[in-house]
Amino acid sequence: MTNIENDNLFLNLLTENNLKRIKIDSELIPTFKIVIAKINDFFSENGLMNVKDWNSFFEEFLISDNPDQLCIKLGRLDNVSHGGEYSKINKEIVMNIDDTSPNGISKGICHDFCHEFIHFLVMHDSNSLNAKISDSMFFNEGMTEYLTGCIMGTGNNSFYYREYKMAEFYCKITKNPFAYFLNDKFAFEDDYYAPMNLIRSSDKFQNDNKLDSYLSIQREIINNGIDDCSINSFEDFANIVTIINQRPRYDGEYINYIFERISNKYLEKMNLDEQQKNNIKDKLITFCKVSNKYQLYDDNEVAEYLIDDLHIGFDKKGKHYNDFPLNGTSKRGQIGFDGVSKITVTHRDKTYVINTEKMNCKNWKEFYDKAYNDLEKEIDLLTMQTIENNESKTSFKR
C-alpha cells in the first residue's frame, strides 16, 4: 500500500505554517510552490522519497531558525545575466534579478530555481571525506541539470549541454543513479577508485575542454558500468550494448575493444565448448557493431563517410548524423546542402563535396532487427543442445 503521507513530504513545505518559517523573499514564493510540487511528483513517481530522511533534513536546514538554515532571495549576481546560485558556505540560494522583466523575475526562473534547490538537497548536509559527486563541477552540474530537466520536463536546453549529455548516459548505465546522487555519491560498486578516476578525468576536461578529455570521462563511465552489470542472457547482452551505443561521443576504436569485453563477459555465462564460443563470439561482436549503427542512424536511409578523422553519415536530404566537422585555423567546421544533390563539408580547413545521387544508403534498423532475431534463435538452439548433451552424459553415467 502506498504511504500517502510519505508521498507528500515536499508538499508539506507548502503549508501556511511552514512557509512562514522558511527564509524566502515573498516574490519567490509562487516559484517555490511550483518547483516543490514538481519535485514532489517526480520523487514520488521514481522512488526517491526514502533516499533521505527529508523530514529531518527540512526541519534542520529549511524551516528551523539556526545557523545552517537556508535563505532564499532575489539579488544581483556578478557576471551573471540570469539564473541563480546556491552557496553552501553562505547558506543561501540567490536568484538573479532580471532587469528585462517588470518584476525582476525571469521567464525561466522555475527551471533555474529547481536547479539551485537540487544543489541544496544534495550538498547542504554533505560532509563525507570520501570522493563524492559535488567534488566534480562537471558531474555536479551535469547531474543537477539532468535531474532538473527530468523534474521540470525542460530537457537539455541549458549552458551545461555536454555535462547534461554525459550525466544522461551515466544514468542509463548505472543503477539507481538519482538515489545515490541525492546522497552526493557515485552509483558504482567501486566507491573508491571509480569516483577518484571520474573526478580526475572531469577536472582535466574542465581545464582543457578537449575531446580526448571528454572521451576519458566517457570511458571511465563505460568501464565501471560494465564491471557492475550482469549479463546472464542475450536480452541482458543486447540491453547493455544498446546503452553503450547511446554514449555521447563516437570513440570507434575504443568501443570495439569494449564490444569484445562485453562479448567475453557474456560467453563466460554460456556453457559452450571453445569452437562454439569462437563461432558465436564473432557474431556477437558483429551484432554490437550493427547495434551501434542503428543507434546512430535510427530508422533512416543513411550513407556513411570517413572524412579524415570525421565519422559522419548523411541522408539524401542533407541531414547529418554522428560527428560534426571540426574547426580549422582559418575555417569554421560546417555542413552545407544546396537543396538538390550537393552536400559540402568543411572540416579542419578542407572542403569535401558529396553527391547525394551517388549515395549508397542503408537502413540499419532492418539490419539490426535481422541480426537480433537470427542471433537470439542461434543462442537458444545452442543452449538447448548444451542442455540435451549434458542430460545425455548424465544418463550415460548412471
Side-chain angles (χ1 to χ4, degrees):
M1 181 179 292
T2 302
N3 186 330
I4 296 175
E5 182 180 353
N6 195 50
D7 280 351
N8 292 295
L9 284 172
F10 284 76
L11 293 184
N12 291 335
L13 296 173
L14 305 183
T15 63
E16 184 176 351
N17 181 52
N18 279 334
L19 282 174
K20 289 179 180 178
R21 298 170 67 191
I22 296 171
K23 289 183 180 179
I24 182 171
D25 285 353
S26 59
E27 299 94 330
L28 290 172
I29 290 178
T31 299
F32 182 77
K33 288 181 176 180
I34 293 170
V35 171
I36 292 300
K38 291 276 191 180
I39 292 176
N40 191 88
D41 288 347
F42 186 85
F43 279 28
S44 178
E45 291 168 4
N46 291 276
L48 300 175
M49 285 298 190
N50 296 316
V51 299
K52 272 188 180 182
D53 183 352
W54 295 116
N55 273 330
S56 297
F57 180 88
F58 294 142
E59 181 67 32
E60 183 174 359
F61 301 121
L62 194 60
I63 60 179
S64 292
D65 186 5
N66 64 67
D68 291 322
Q69 184 181 19
L70 181 75
C71 177
I72 305 170
K73 62 185 181 181
L74 276 171
R76 293 190 182 277
L77 299 171
D78 295 337
N79 302 318
V80 178
S81 60
H82 62 279
E85 183 177 81
Y86 162 75
S87 171
K88 182 175 181 177
I89 295 175
N90 296 328
K91 310 293 192 298
E92 65 182 14
I93 289 176
V94 180
M95 300 308 300
N96 200 42
I97 293 174
D98 185 355
D99 291 323
T100 65
S101 177
N103 61 359
I105 295 178
S106 68
K107 292 181 180 178
I109 193 170
C110 286
H111 178 98
D112 294 336
F113 181 81
C114 183
H115 180 104
E116 303 309 329
F117 195 78
I118 290 170
H119 277 318
F120 161 67
L121 296 181
V122 172
M123 298 170 63
H124 212 69
D125 65 339
S126 178
N127 57 9
S128 171
L129 296 178
N130 295 329
K132 50 192 181 292
I133 281 189
S134 62
D135 292 331
S136 163
M137 179 179 175
F138 180 92
F139 277 100
N140 193 22
E141 295 299 345
M143 284 297 294
T144 301
E145 188 60 20
Y146 180 57
L147 181 52
T148 298
C150 292
I151 292 169
M152 303 301 295
T154 45
N156 189 2
N157 61 358
S158 78
F159 174 77
Y160 299 110
Y161 179 83
R162 289 174 295 186
E163 291 88 342
Y164 180 108
K165 292 295 291 182
M166 195 66 79
E168 182 180 29
F169 175 62
Y170 161 85
C171 286
K172 289 176 180 178
I173 207 170
T174 55
K175 299 172 185 176
N176 303 317
F178 289 147
Y180 280 94
F181 172 55
L182 289 167
N183 286 286
D184 204 7
K185 296 178 180 179
F186 286 94
F188 292 117
E189 290 181 12
D190 176 0
D191 60 0
Y192 185 75
Y193 291 107
M196 288 197 303
N197 291 336
L198 284 165
I199 291 169
R200 188 182 301 113
S201 296
S202 63
D203 286 348
K204 188 174 186 300
F205 175 72
Q206 292 291 133
N207 291 327
D208 63 26
N209 201 34
K210 291 182 178 180
L211 176 59
D212 286 346
S213 298
Y214 195 71
L215 291 176
S216 178
I217 302 170
Q218 180 174 278
R219 291 173 181 179
E220 289 291 342
I221 291 173
I222 291 172
N223 280 329
N224 287 288
I226 292 173
D227 285 342
D228 291 356
C229 77
S230 297
I231 306 178
N232 298 312
S233 67
F234 179 65
E235 183 180 5
D236 291 341
F237 175 80
N239 285 340
I240 189 64
V241 169
T242 297
I243 290 170
I244 289 170
N245 285 333
Q246 292 173 350
R247 61 196 179 276
R249 295 307 297 258
Y250 181 65
D251 201 14
E253 290 185 12
Y254 181 77
I255 295 302
N256 286 337
Y257 152 74
I258 293 297
F259 289 159
E260 183 167 358
R261 185 176 162 195
I262 296 170
S263 298
N264 288 335
K265 185 166 185 173
Y266 179 34
L267 287 170
E268 289 174 2
K269 296 288 185 177
M270 301 174 70
N271 188 17
L272 304 176
D273 61 37
E274 286 304 311
Q275 184 176 351
Q276 289 174 321
K277 284 184 178 180
N278 291 334
N279 181 48
I280 205 71
K281 180 178 178 179
D282 290 339
K283 294 178 180 179
L284 289 172
I285 291 176
T286 298
F287 171 79
C288 292
K289 294 178 179 179
V290 171
S291 173
N292 190 29
K293 304 284 189 185
Y294 173 42
Q295 294 298 319
L296 288 174
Y297 310 126
D298 199 18
D299 190 11
N300 295 292
E301 298 282 339
V302 173
E304 294 183 289
Y305 298 89
L306 183 61
I307 301 174
D308 193 10
D309 59 345
L310 179 69
H311 187 273
I312 193 166
F314 289 99
D315 61 26
K316 291 194 174 183
K317 294 180 180 180
K319 182 180 178 180
H320 77 277
Y321 301 82
N322 197 30
D323 286 346
F324 190 81
L326 298 177
N327 295 341
T329 55
S330 59
K331 293 182 180 180
R332 181 169 58 89
Q334 58 185 316
I335 297 170
F337 180 53
D338 66 359
V340 182
S341 62
K342 187 171 76 172
I343 298 172
T344 304
V345 180
T346 303
H347 176 59
R348 297 189 186 277
D349 287 338
K350 294 180 181 179
T351 300
Y352 307 84
V353 177
I354 298 171
N355 187 340
T356 60
E357 294 177 352
K358 296 181 179 180
M359 280 182 172
N360 180 23
C361 294
K362 296 179 180 179
N363 185 319
W364 284 99
K365 182 181 185 303
E366 296 174 0
F367 286 91
Y368 175 82
D369 289 343
K370 185 177 186 307
Y372 187 103
N373 292 330
D374 290 349
L375 192 51
E376 184 178 40
K377 290 177 182 177
E378 184 170 354
I379 289 172
D380 286 345
L381 182 60
L382 279 172
T383 302
M384 288 178 61
Q385 289 175 347
T386 301
I387 292 172
E388 290 173 357
N389 289 338
N390 288 339
E391 289 177 347
S392 176
K393 290 177 182 178
T394 302
S395 299
F396 179 76
K397 287 179 181 179
R398 288 178 183 175

